[in-house]
Amino acid sequence: MLQAVKTGGTGAERRRYRTIWISDVHLGTRGCNAAMLIDFLDRVDSDTLYLVGDIIDGWRLKKRLYWPALHNDVVSRLMKRVKRGTRVVYIPGNHDEMFRQFVGMNFGGIAIRRRAMHETADGRRLLVLHGDEFDAITLAQPWLAHMGDTAYTALLAVSHVVNSVRRRLGMPYWSLSKHAKAKVKNAVAFVSRFEEVVARAAGSRGVDGVVCGHIHTAETRTIGDIAYYNDGDWVESCTALVEHHDGQMELLHWADEIARRNARPRSIGLAA
Ligand SMILES: [Mn+2]
């Protein structure tokens, strides 16, 4: 059940979960939806927070330094969480693989691990990993890597413009890549193949389920007898996976949450 606690800064009620998983934030890139992630972090809390990889985009930062103040705000909110007593586990992905050299260490209260075993409140064992370890097996890069960095950046730029117009019109956030992905048959095939490969690997380790990220496609489904969870990303879909205090899992679509919060009748005067 949800418990709410008063927070100091905003005075807003923070929804409290047992566990939160987020990944694929890509701090250091224009694609990162830092504002929406900050909104999320200011409204939810948890006993444990897993950062499931690609939090900082070291690949892109190497090419060109892009680090707006909002990206610092994300980092400082994460550090504040550690200070408040949240257990934070950071599992570096392929874009932040520079942190993999610190696996096994603890930095400022953040445990850096290659993978983790999470036990849910209802006693299920979940393997937590980023997911890029399966790129070789799935014999395909994620659809976004496949279409190329430049094309993806262009797609995000278009999405950014579309969404700033929509925001001005009071319309909810719209994910371009979500629609593009659904229309590309290869992408759909890749995603389901990735999900099956990850679930099979988890099954061979004798766990009840797996939590990953990497392919920017949020999902909760059962494959065979394995629970497959993908927490999505904060570039396009803006999703998080949460565990309630009774062990029930849920995917939060934060753009939808914001839309519900801001729900108001569309003004009649708007041009069609
Ligand atoms: Mn990745």
Side-chain angles (χ1 to χ4, degrees), residues 185-200:
K185 227 167 79 196
N186 282 348
V188 175
F190 165 76
V191 167
S192 61
R193 172 143 173 77
F194 176 88
E195 292 168 346
E196 281 152 22
V197 165
V198 172
R200 204 178 311 135

Side-chain angles (χ1 to χ4, degrees), residues 31-94:
C32 169
N33 216 318
M36 219 178 277
L37 179 57
I38 287 167
D39 184 90
F40 170 76
L41 291 172
D42 285 346
R43 279 174 169 81
V44 299
D45 216 336
S46 61
D47 304 339
T48 303
L49 169 68
Y50 287 97
L51 303 171
V52 196
D54 290 0
I55 304 301
I56 296 173
D57 199 316
W59 292 6
R60 204 66 70 78
L61 277 175
K62 250 185 254 175
K63 283 187 208 161
R64 190 159 55 111
L65 188 66
Y66 174 78
W67 197 266
L70 269 185
H71 292 198
N72 268 344
D73 295 344
V74 170
V75 174
S76 76
R77 271 166 175 77
L78 293 175
M79 297 316 289
K80 263 185 213 153
R81 227 153 250 256
V82 178
K83 272 192 209 142
R84 280 206 307 273
T86 305
R87 184 179 148 247
V88 179
V89 180
Y90 180 17
I91 296 165
N94 49 320

Side-chain angles (χ1 to χ4, degrees), residues 59-250:
W59 292 6
R60 204 66 70 78
L61 277 175
K62 250 185 254 175
K63 283 187 208 161
R64 190 159 55 111
L65 188 66
Y66 174 78
W67 197 266
L70 269 185
H71 292 198
N72 268 344
D73 295 344
V74 170
V75 174
S76 76
R77 271 166 175 77
L78 293 175
M79 297 316 289
K80 263 185 213 153
R81 227 153 250 256
V82 178
K83 272 192 209 142
R84 280 206 307 273
T86 305
R87 184 179 148 247
V88 179
V89 180
Y90 180 17
I91 296 165
N94 49 320
H95 283 262
D96 46 9
E97 62 190 347
M98 63 276 190
F99 293 115
R100 281 184 175 162
Q101 58 187 303
F102 305 120
V103 156
M105 298 183 188
N106 296 285
F107 278 113
I110 299 179
I112 301 178
R113 300 290 180 264
R114 193 65 180 81
R115 53 185 65 79
M117 194 61 76
H118 176 81
E119 192 173 333
T120 59
D122 52 356
R124 293 176 303 137
R125 290 171 72 238
L126 306 179
L127 179 64
V128 186
L129 41 76
H130 178 63
D132 63 296
E133 40 275 86
F134 301 102
D135 282 354
I137 307 166
T138 49
L139 290 175
Q141 286 295 302
W143 74 278
L144 62 167
H146 205 70
M147 71 185 286
D149 208 42
T150 315
Y152 188 57
T153 306
L155 188 71
L156 287 177
V158 171
S159 178
H160 183 80
V161 171
V162 168
N163 276 300
S164 58
V165 172
R166 286 179 67 89
R167 205 163 40 239
R168 231 164 285 152
L169 295 177
M171 293 161 79
Y173 180 81
W174 178 78
S175 170
L176 175 65
S177 84
K178 200 163 101 185
H179 290 262
K181 237 189 294 188
K183 287 193 168 57
V184 181
K185 227 167 79 196
N186 282 348
V188 175
F190 165 76
V191 167
S192 61
R193 172 143 173 77
F194 176 88
E195 292 168 346
E196 281 152 22
V197 165
V198 172
R200 204 178 311 135
S204 71
R205 283 165 160 261
V207 296
D208 301 299
V210 60
V211 180
C212 62
H214 186 50
I215 58 167
H216 295 207
T217 306
E219 182 65 279
T220 64
R221 62 184 275 222
T222 308
I223 303 171
D225 52 358
I226 298 296
Y228 170 91
Y229 303 104
N230 193 308
D231 64 10
D233 66 278
W234 288 85
V235 172
E236 277 290 292
S237 61
C238 300
T239 47
L241 180 71
V242 297
E243 180 197 1
H244 293 255
H245 288 275
D246 59 0
Q248 187 207 319
M249 307 281 278
E250 188 188 351

